[in-house]
């Protein structure tokens, strides 16, 4: 099965860079065994990255009012992403909008898991807040396990 991991965010805006951080760590841990891409904050690049895969995992920061570090998981292949969760986007084209545009264009993978990690600090600067860094490290471990399972039983 052709799968891809996509890290979304802006590493110069503290917790907004959590998707980028997760993707970079996964790329280092998994090497050539995984198709991991850092997309930054370009929603149009997300459209291209979703177009030619059967399954994808997308990681981005969210801001819903939940406790910082809360990990939200959505099956975006079967339902729309909650607009309120991704309402405060610093991206040119937000993740929810890009996913829905891919759906409308028939470019959405059959399986699309979206992980949103609740951010605390979206100000200028590098580095993740403590709660977000802890959640991101836990998600990396979960995804490493998931992605190194047999491709026949692995689902995003």
């Amino acid at each position: 099965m052709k799968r891809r991991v996509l890290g979304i965010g802006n590493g110069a805006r503290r917790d907004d860079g959590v998707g980028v951080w997760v993707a970079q760590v996964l790329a280092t841990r998994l090497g050539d065994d995984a198709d991991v891409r850092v997309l930054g904050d370009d929603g149009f690049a997300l459209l291209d990255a979703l177009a030619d895969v059967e399954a994808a995992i997308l990681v981005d920061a969210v801001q819903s009012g939940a406790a910082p570090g809360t990990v939200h998981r959505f099956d975006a292949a079967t339902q729309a992403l909650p607009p309120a969760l991704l309402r405060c986007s610093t991206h040119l084209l937000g993740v929810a909008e890009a996913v829905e545009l891919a759906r409308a264009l028939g470019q959405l993978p059959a399986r699309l898991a979206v992980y949103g990690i609740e951010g605390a600090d979206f100000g200028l600067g590098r580095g993740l807040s403590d709660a977000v860094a802890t959640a991101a490290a836990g998600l990396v471990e979960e995804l490493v396990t998931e992605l190194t399972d047999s491709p026949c039983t692995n689902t995003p």
Side-chain angles (χ1 to χ4, degrees), residues 48-133:
D48 291 337
L50 292 173
D52 62 347
V53 294
E54 297 170 21
I57 296 170
L58 189 149
V59 182
D60 194 11
V62 297
Q63 197 172 22
S64 72
T70 300
V71 179
H72 307 270
R73 185 188 188 282
F74 303 96
D75 179 356
T78 61
Q79 63 187 10
L81 293 172
L85 189 70
L86 298 156
R87 70 183 181 278
C88 297
S89 176
T90 62
H91 314 314
L92 300 173
L93 174 68
V95 170
E97 294 89 354
V99 167
E100 291 311 308
L101 184 54
R103 187 185 319 276
L105 295 172
Q107 296 179 347
L108 201 65
R111 296 180 187 167
L112 175 59
V114 175
Y115 290 89
I117 299 178
E118 191 75 28
D121 181 355
F122 292 87
L124 293 176
R126 298 220 174 258
L128 303 173
S129 63
D130 290 343
V132 172

